[in-house]
mmCIF file of all heavy atoms in Angstrom:
data_model
loop_
_atom_site.group_PDB
_atom_site.id
_atom_site.type_symbol
_atom_site.label_atom_id
_atom_site.label_comp_id
_atom_site.label_asym_id
_atom_site.label_seq_id
_atom_site.Cartn_x
_atom_site.Cartn_y
_atom_site.Cartn_z
ATOM 1 N N GLU A 279 2.248 9.013 19.732
ATOM 2 C CA GLU A 279 2.614 7.629 19.436
ATOM 3 C C GLU A 279 2.485 6.741 20.673
ATOM 4 O O GLU A 279 2.091 5.576 20.573
ATOM 5 C CB GLU A 279 4.022 7.576 18.829
ATOM 6 C CG GLU A 279 3.991 8.102 17.391
ATOM 7 C CD GLU A 279 5.314 8.021 16.640
ATOM 8 O OE1 GLU A 279 6.367 8.110 17.310
ATOM 9 O OE2 GLU A 279 5.276 7.887 15.400
ATOM 10 N N PHE A 291 1.777 6.384 8.553
ATOM 11 C CA PHE A 291 2.695 7.014 7.581
ATOM 12 C C PHE A 291 4.087 7.205 8.175
ATOM 13 O O PHE A 291 4.957 7.740 7.532
ATOM 14 C CB PHE A 291 2.111 8.332 7.074
ATOM 15 C CG PHE A 291 1.766 9.327 8.157
ATOM 16 C CD1 PHE A 291 2.660 10.318 8.521
ATOM 17 C CD2 PHE A 291 0.543 9.261 8.815
ATOM 18 C CE1 PHE A 291 2.356 11.238 9.516
ATOM 19 C CE2 PHE A 291 0.227 10.190 9.822
ATOM 20 C CZ PHE A 291 1.133 11.159 10.169
ATOM 21 N N GLU A 292 4.306 6.781 9.377
ATOM 22 C CA GLU A 292 5.571 6.798 10.129
ATOM 23 C C GLU A 292 6.447 8.034 9.844
ATOM 24 O O GLU A 292 7.458 7.962 9.161
ATOM 25 C CB GLU A 292 6.366 5.492 9.942
ATOM 26 C CG GLU A 292 6.703 5.023 8.578
ATOM 27 C CD GLU A 292 7.480 3.675 8.581
ATOM 28 O OE1 GLU A 292 7.883 3.133 9.631
ATOM 29 O OE2 GLU A 292 7.698 3.182 7.479
ATOM 30 N N PRO A 293 6.022 9.189 10.397
ATOM 31 C CA PRO A 293 6.728 10.436 10.094
ATOM 32 C C PRO A 293 8.212 10.386 10.449
ATOM 33 O O PRO A 293 8.582 9.915 11.518
ATOM 34 C CB PRO A 293 6.008 11.475 10.956
ATOM 35 C CG PRO A 293 5.274 10.699 12.006
ATOM 36 C CD PRO A 293 4.925 9.399 11.359
ATOM 37 N N MET A 294 9.018 10.860 9.534
ATOM 38 C CA MET A 294 10.453 10.933 9.753
ATOM 39 C C MET A 294 10.755 11.939 10.864
ATOM 40 O O MET A 294 10.092 12.960 10.986
ATOM 41 C CB MET A 294 11.129 11.397 8.457
ATOM 42 C CG MET A 294 12.605 11.676 8.605
ATOM 43 S SD MET A 294 13.304 12.265 7.039
ATOM 44 C CE MET A 294 15.028 12.380 7.514
ATOM 45 N N ASP A 295 11.756 11.624 11.649
ATOM 46 C CA ASP A 295 12.293 12.547 12.650
ATOM 47 C C ASP A 295 13.546 13.166 12.037
ATOM 48 O O ASP A 295 14.517 12.474 11.760
ATOM 49 C CB ASP A 295 12.624 11.735 13.917
ATOM 50 C CG ASP A 295 13.160 12.608 15.034
ATOM 51 O OD1 ASP A 295 13.603 13.738 14.745
ATOM 52 O OD2 ASP A 295 13.151 12.145 16.193
ATOM 53 N N HIS A 296 13.513 14.478 11.798
ATOM 54 C CA HIS A 296 14.626 15.130 11.083
ATOM 55 C C HIS A 296 15.780 15.546 11.982
ATOM 56 O O HIS A 296 16.741 16.147 11.508
ATOM 57 C CB HIS A 296 14.107 16.389 10.362
ATOM 58 C CG HIS A 296 13.295 16.107 9.141
ATOM 59 N ND1 HIS A 296 11.961 15.815 9.189
ATOM 60 C CD2 HIS A 296 13.639 16.072 7.824
ATOM 61 C CE1 HIS A 296 11.505 15.622 7.955
ATOM 62 N NE2 HIS A 296 12.491 15.762 7.116
ATOM 63 N N SER A 317 6.427 12.145 5.910
ATOM 64 C CA SER A 317 6.102 10.721 5.926
ATOM 65 C C SER A 317 7.394 9.916 5.985
ATOM 66 O O SER A 317 8.475 10.464 5.844
ATOM 67 C CB SER A 317 5.320 10.341 4.677
ATOM 68 O OG SER A 317 4.296 11.275 4.438
ATOM 69 N N GLY A 318 7.237 8.614 6.140
ATOM 70 C CA GLY A 318 8.399 7.734 6.182
ATOM 71 C C GLY A 318 8.284 6.627 5.156
ATOM 72 O O GLY A 318 7.501 6.722 4.199
ATOM 73 N N PRO A 319 9.041 5.541 5.353
ATOM 74 C CA PRO A 319 9.096 4.471 4.351
ATOM 75 C C PRO A 319 7.733 3.864 4.001
ATOM 76 O O PRO A 319 7.518 3.463 2.858
ATOM 77 C CB PRO A 319 9.979 3.418 5.030
ATOM 78 C CG PRO A 319 10.836 4.196 5.982
ATOM 79 C CD PRO A 319 9.985 5.331 6.465
ATOM 80 N N PRO A 463 15.528 -2.710 10.292
ATOM 81 C CA PRO A 463 16.438 -1.579 10.052
ATOM 82 C C PRO A 463 15.706 -0.246 9.856
ATOM 83 O O PRO A 463 16.327 0.765 9.526
ATOM 84 C CB PRO A 463 17.083 -1.982 8.720
ATOM 85 C CG PRO A 463 15.957 -2.661 7.974
ATOM 86 C CD PRO A 463 15.051 -3.284 9.023
ATOM 87 N N TRP A 464 14.388 -0.219 10.055
ATOM 88 C CA TRP A 464 13.611 0.887 9.492
ATOM 89 C C TRP A 464 13.727 2.197 10.254
ATOM 90 O O TRP A 464 13.513 3.258 9.661
ATOM 91 C CB TRP A 464 12.158 0.453 9.279
ATOM 92 C CG TRP A 464 12.117 -0.608 8.233
ATOM 93 C CD1 TRP A 464 12.088 -1.954 8.426
ATOM 94 C CD2 TRP A 464 12.225 -0.407 6.813
ATOM 95 N NE1 TRP A 464 12.160 -2.613 7.216
ATOM 96 C CE2 TRP A 464 12.236 -1.688 6.207
ATOM 97 C CE3 TRP A 464 12.323 0.720 5.997
ATOM 98 C CZ2 TRP A 464 12.333 -1.861 4.826
ATOM 99 C CZ3 TRP A 464 12.401 0.540 4.621
ATOM 100 C CH2 TRP A 464 12.407 -0.732 4.052
ATOM 101 N N ALA A 465 14.043 2.133 11.554
ATOM 102 C CA ALA A 465 14.208 3.406 12.275
ATOM 103 C C ALA A 465 15.385 4.168 11.660
ATOM 104 O O ALA A 465 15.319 5.380 11.436
ATOM 105 C CB ALA A 465 14.437 3.149 13.756
ATOM 106 N N GLU A 466 16.446 3.442 11.358
ATOM 107 C CA GLU A 466 17.635 4.077 10.778
ATOM 108 C C GLU A 466 17.355 4.567 9.358
ATOM 109 O O GLU A 466 17.797 5.638 8.952
ATOM 110 C CB GLU A 466 18.773 3.052 10.781
ATOM 111 C CG GLU A 466 20.126 3.695 10.788
ATOM 112 C CD GLU A 466 21.239 2.643 10.800
ATOM 113 O OE1 GLU A 466 21.108 1.652 11.544
ATOM 114 O OE2 GLU A 466 22.206 2.826 10.044
ATOM 115 N N VAL A 467 16.618 3.757 8.592
ATOM 116 C CA VAL A 467 16.273 4.153 7.221
ATOM 117 C C VAL A 467 15.398 5.409 7.261
ATOM 118 O O VAL A 467 15.629 6.388 6.547
ATOM 119 C CB VAL A 467 15.521 3.007 6.501
ATOM 120 C CG1 VAL A 467 14.921 3.491 5.180
ATOM 121 C CG2 VAL A 467 16.453 1.823 6.271
ATOM 122 N N LYS A 468 14.410 5.386 8.133
ATOM 123 C CA LYS A 468 13.438 6.486 8.212
ATOM 124 C C LYS A 468 14.094 7.806 8.623
ATOM 125 O O LYS A 468 13.863 8.833 8.005
ATOM 126 C CB LYS A 468 12.346 6.105 9.225
ATOM 127 C CG LYS A 468 11.361 7.211 9.556
ATOM 128 C CD LYS A 468 10.179 6.693 10.378
ATOM 129 C CE LYS A 468 10.504 6.527 11.856
ATOM 130 N NZ LYS A 468 10.472 7.789 12.601
ATOM 131 N N ASP A 469 14.918 7.764 9.667
ATOM 132 C CA ASP A 469 15.448 9.010 10.240
ATOM 133 C C ASP A 469 16.862 9.342 9.778
ATOM 134 O O ASP A 469 17.425 10.339 10.195
ATOM 135 C CB ASP A 469 15.417 8.925 11.775
ATOM 136 C CG ASP A 469 14.005 8.756 12.306
ATOM 137 O OD1 ASP A 469 13.062 9.151 11.596
ATOM 138 O OD2 ASP A 469 13.850 8.215 13.417
ATOM 139 N N LEU A 470 17.446 8.518 8.924
ATOM 140 C CA LEU A 470 18.815 8.744 8.442
ATOM 141 C C LEU A 470 19.778 9.008 9.605
ATOM 142 O O LEU A 470 20.602 9.923 9.537
ATOM 143 C CB LEU A 470 18.832 9.928 7.463
ATOM 144 C CG LEU A 470 18.212 9.656 6.086
ATOM 145 C CD1 LEU A 470 18.007 10.968 5.338
ATOM 146 C CD2 LEU A 470 19.100 8.732 5.254
ATOM 147 N N THR A 471 19.651 8.227 10.636
ATOM 148 C CA THR A 471 20.452 8.476 11.839
ATOM 149 C C THR A 471 21.950 8.355 11.564
ATOM 150 O O THR A 471 22.748 9.006 12.230
ATOM 151 C CB THR A 471 20.064 7.481 12.958
ATOM 152 O OG1 THR A 471 19.966 6.175 12.401
ATOM 153 C CG2 THR A 471 18.735 7.862 13.581
ATOM 154 N N GLN A 508 20.848 7.142 -0.211
ATOM 155 C CA GLN A 508 19.886 6.137 0.240
ATOM 156 C C GLN A 508 18.624 6.306 -0.598
ATOM 157 O O GLN A 508 18.178 7.431 -0.831
ATOM 158 C CB GLN A 508 19.559 6.353 1.717
ATOM 159 C CG GLN A 508 18.477 5.392 2.230
ATOM 160 C CD GLN A 508 18.181 5.604 3.713
ATOM 161 O OE1 GLN A 508 19.060 5.472 4.561
ATOM 162 N NE2 GLN A 508 16.932 5.947 4.018
ATOM 163 N N ASP A 510 14.568 5.379 -1.037
ATOM 164 C CA ASP A 510 13.388 4.886 -0.330
ATOM 165 C C ASP A 510 12.236 4.892 -1.343
ATOM 166 O O ASP A 510 12.423 5.278 -2.503
ATOM 167 C CB ASP A 510 13.105 5.787 0.878
ATOM 168 C CG ASP A 510 12.219 5.107 1.931
ATOM 169 O OD1 ASP A 510 11.623 4.065 1.630
ATOM 170 O OD2 ASP A 510 12.128 5.638 3.053
ATOM 171 N N TRP A 517 17.765 10.180 -1.196
ATOM 172 C CA TRP A 517 18.502 11.018 -0.250
ATOM 173 C C TRP A 517 19.949 11.069 -0.722
ATOM 174 O O TRP A 517 20.576 10.020 -0.908
ATOM 175 C CB TRP A 517 18.449 10.413 1.147
ATOM 176 C CG TRP A 517 17.089 10.469 1.788
ATOM 177 C CD1 TRP A 517 16.183 9.461 1.875
ATOM 178 C CD2 TRP A 517 16.507 11.597 2.437
ATOM 179 N NE1 TRP A 517 15.058 9.881 2.536
ATOM 180 C CE2 TRP A 517 15.229 11.192 2.892
ATOM 181 C CE3 TRP A 517 16.927 12.912 2.676
ATOM 182 C CZ2 TRP A 517 14.374 12.053 3.577
ATOM 183 C CZ3 TRP A 517 16.066 13.761 3.365
ATOM 184 C CH2 TRP A 517 14.806 13.343 3.803
#
Side-chain angles (χ1 to χ4, degrees):
Chain A
E279 287 184 330
F291 56 95
E292 55 181 353
M294 173 182 184
D295 181 342
H296 286 84
S317 314
W464 294 96
E466 205 180 317
V467 169
K468 172 170 80 79
D469 299 336
L470 287 167
T471 45
Q508 176 179 300
D510 200 347
W517 291 100

